[in-house]
Structure formats: structure tokens, C-alpha cells
Amino acid sequence: MSLPTLLTAADPDPDPDPTVPAAGRARPAPSRADALVEALPWLVRYRGRTVVVKFGGNAMVDDDLKAAFAQDILFLKHAGLRPVVVHGGGPQISRQLQRLGLTSQFAAGLRVTTDETMDVVRMVLAGQVQRELVGLLNEHGPHAVGITGEDARLMTAAKRYAEVDGRPVDIGRVGEIARVDTGVVRDLLDCGRIPVVSSVARSDDAKDAAAGGVFNVNADTAAAALAAALGAEMLLILTDVAGLYANWPHSHDVIPRLTAGELEKLLPSLSSGMIPKMRGCLDAVNEGVGTARVIDGRVRHSVLLEVFGDDGIGTTVVPDERPDERPGERPCEGAAA
């Protein structure tokens, strides 16, 4: 039995009859203990380590998946890890624009973001998606704090142009992360909180910033940049596929593991939707993150299955210098021998 199954399985005798001798009562299945034992090495290895999780895909719009994701993040915290959540909100932004009679436009897979659209982006990310997730996490205590990339100058971005037919195209207030100041996130982690970060960033242009200028930033690249700046042990990116397919669309075989060098060779051949996710994984491990993993957010408790299972459920990217090491097997500083 897997750890998530252990967490959600019903107790075989939740309210035992005190008149029945203990020897005659139903006992928990040994597989429950087996699941805990399976998780033990990873609990030891990752205790005290920072894990950045990009929340996206169906997990953002399905109520059961949202609830399971919140449980996973809370489990990480109570297991001694330091989780940080980064989120976007593409489907929610598109729906809100439609309600307001505004058209969603894209160029090279990037949302064209006018000043008017940017107001909607900020409202939806910080006022809807973030608040809902923070609320789920705080149902069991004062754990989560919502912030945006603007707050305390956490993320600063430069204007980004889309490339269409080999030419740069102005797509408005869309940015590429230029700098990350992790102070506010580290303070929250040190206080035992779970930072939930919306992927908007302050403009790196002083005049624009003084006028309140901000940029809409791809959540995958924002999560990767934050993971690198924090020196995270792991970056997890939730998506709506099982992982990186070996030969899409001709095969559904998932590549379980590849090095940074192997991924760099594959990048030009990937579908447009996977490029920012895998580019984020590549940049993260090249900047010192232990492992970067793309996992299927359509699977309940996919975060726990990936972090605490012996076998990963998605695609794991590892740095080139550790090609023979199992994903995640980085020596744990300060761990008891």
C-alpha cells in the first residue's frame, strides 16, 4: 500500500467496542506499517530541505485534486520539509477575461498581456487562485501565507518578447525573471509557514517600477528561478501528462530519468507546452537544485508518491555530474550517520 493510500484508507475499527477483548478486534493491516517504513529513508533524507512545487494543470480546477494537493503540502511540512508553492492560473484568467468581454490572445504560446489584461491577471492570481489554495492549507492551522512576486521585491522581471517566424513580437506586460530576492520567503519558512507565491513580478525598469509596473511571468519558469535562488533540494512541476514522453505523439512511454545534458539535446524537439516546464527543470538543476521533476497532477497525492516512494511517477532531471546517482540521493548535510 502506498503512503497516500495509507493516509486516506479508512480505519478498520475506528471505534472499538470496549467490551470485546483486544485479541478479538480487527487490527490494522501490516501494509500500513510497510508504507510508513518505505517512506522512512526519504523522511530522513529530506528533513529540513526546501521543496518548491509548481501548482498547475487539472490539480488547479478539480476540487478533489485541489484538496489532495493541499494535504500533500501539509504532510511535507509536518514531515519536516520546507515546502514552497508557486502557481499560475491560465484557465481562470481566460474565464475571467471572457466574463469581462475581453479576448484572450496568444503569440508563440504566451498570453498577450495589455495593461487591462494585467489588471485581470493580478486580480485572478492573488485574489482568487492564491486565496483558495491558502484557505485549503489553513483549514488545519495557520500554516500558509500568500504573497506575490511583487512583495518585498521577491521577483524582478525584464520585458519579454515572443518569437514569431524568427522575429521578436511585443506581447505587452509579459516578463522573464531577472532577479530573485528570497528574503521574504526564507523569513516565512524560518517561521514555519508555507509561502504560496503568485507568478507576477516587479518591473526591472526603475521608471516603470515607480509607476507600479509589473509583469505576468510563466509560473514554470518562476518556480524554477525561485528553486534555484533558494538552493532547493527539489523542484516539482505538476502538469496534465504522465511525464516527458519518449516519442510523442507516437508513443506514451514516459522517460523516467535523464541528465541535464540529455534534456538539453531533446528540448528543440519538444511540444510547445512542455518546453517551459522542461526548460525550467534544466535551468533549475544547472543552477544547483538537487533534482527537478515533472509529475502528473491528475493523480491524487502525486506529490507524496513522488517524494516518498521508492520509484518516481514522472520524469526526473538530474545534473550531469551525478549520472549514476538515484534521483534525489544527495548526501544530507547534518544527518546522523
Side-chain angles (χ1 to χ4, degrees):
M1 179 181 290
S2 66
L3 183 62
T5 304
L6 167 72
L7 294 172
T8 57
D11 191 320
D13 192 8
D15 188 19
D17 185 345
T19 64
V20 177
R25 297 178 194 156
R27 298 179 179 177
S31 57
R32 296 192 177 193
D34 293 340
L36 287 173
V37 171
E38 179 184 329
L40 181 59
W42 311 115
L43 288 167
V44 172
R45 182 175 299 281
Y46 296 138
R47 184 171 182 81
R49 297 301 183 96
T50 299
V51 176
V52 175
V53 186
K54 187 267 180 167
F55 180 52
N58 274 325
M60 295 185 70
V61 296
D62 181 283
D63 289 340
D64 288 340
L65 291 175
K66 279 188 287 190
F69 176 81
Q71 291 172 346
D72 288 5
I73 298 301
L74 287 170
F75 189 95
L76 295 184
K77 178 187 182 298
H78 289 298
L81 286 75
R82 290 156 58 97
V84 177
V85 179
V86 178
H87 71 88
Q92 294 89 338
I93 292 169
S94 294
R95 283 199 297 269
Q96 185 61 27
L97 288 172
Q98 185 177 23
R99 291 190 190 103
L100 296 173
L102 301 173
T103 302
S104 293
Q105 297 179 346
F106 295 86
L110 299 171
R111 183 184 298 277
V112 177
T113 308
T114 63
D115 288 343
E116 188 176 21
T117 303
M118 190 67 231
D119 289 339
V120 176
V121 169
R122 294 169 86 180
M123 177 182 67
V124 171
L125 293 185
Q128 178 184 336
V129 179
Q130 182 191 96
R131 299 317 309 164
E132 183 178 20
L133 181 55
V134 168
L136 286 171
L137 291 168
N138 286 339
E139 285 181 358
H140 303 283
H143 301 300
V145 176
I147 59 176
T148 76
E150 300 174 68
D151 296 328
R153 300 188 181 183
L154 170 58
M155 295 180 183
T156 303
K159 184 177 177 65
R160 178 178 179 179
Y161 292 82
E163 185 174 320
V164 179
D165 297 328
R167 294 178 298 176
V169 175
D170 189 341
I171 51 176
R173 304 211 67 87
V174 176
E176 195 74 59
I177 297 295
R179 291 186 300 278
V180 179
D181 182 342
T182 61
V184 64
V185 172
R186 293 184 187 276
D187 287 346
L188 289 170
L189 290 171
D190 290 344
C191 289
R193 306 303 183 190
I194 303 171
V196 179
V197 183
S198 300
S199 59
V200 294
R202 182 177 184 269
S203 172
D204 72 339
D205 180 274
K207 185 177 180 180
D208 187 32
V214 294
F215 285 115
N216 182 18
V217 179
N218 179 278
D220 298 314
T221 55
L226 183 55
L230 288 168
E233 174 67 26
M234 188 186 304
L235 167 67
L236 293 174
I237 296 179
L238 272 67
T239 185
D240 286 339
V241 294
L244 180 62
Y245 295 121
N247 188 24
W248 176 260
H250 307 293
S251 169
H252 285 80
D253 292 335
V254 172
I255 302 173
R257 173 186 175 281
L258 70 168
T259 65
E262 291 168 338
L263 175 56
E264 190 158 18
K265 294 176 183 177
L266 284 175
L267 270 178
S269 65
L270 301 183
S271 64
S272 59
M274 287 300 290
I275 287 178
K277 302 179 192 314
M278 301 313 302
R279 168 57 68 181
C281 289
L282 178 63
D283 291 344
V285 297
N286 282 339
E287 292 295 323
V289 176
T291 61
R293 311 176 185 203
V294 173
I295 62 175
D296 193 342
R298 300 169 300 177
V299 177
R300 281 172 52 84
H301 300 299
S302 57
V303 173
L304 292 188
L305 287 168
E306 181 63 31
V307 174
F308 295 119
D310 288 336
D311 299 310
I313 62 167
T315 295
T316 298
V317 182
V318 299
D320 288 321
E321 60 267 27
R322 300 201 310 276
D324 297 325
E325 203 169 320
R326 183 202 181 276
E329 289 194 350
R330 184 163 61 169
C332 190
E333 297 175 8

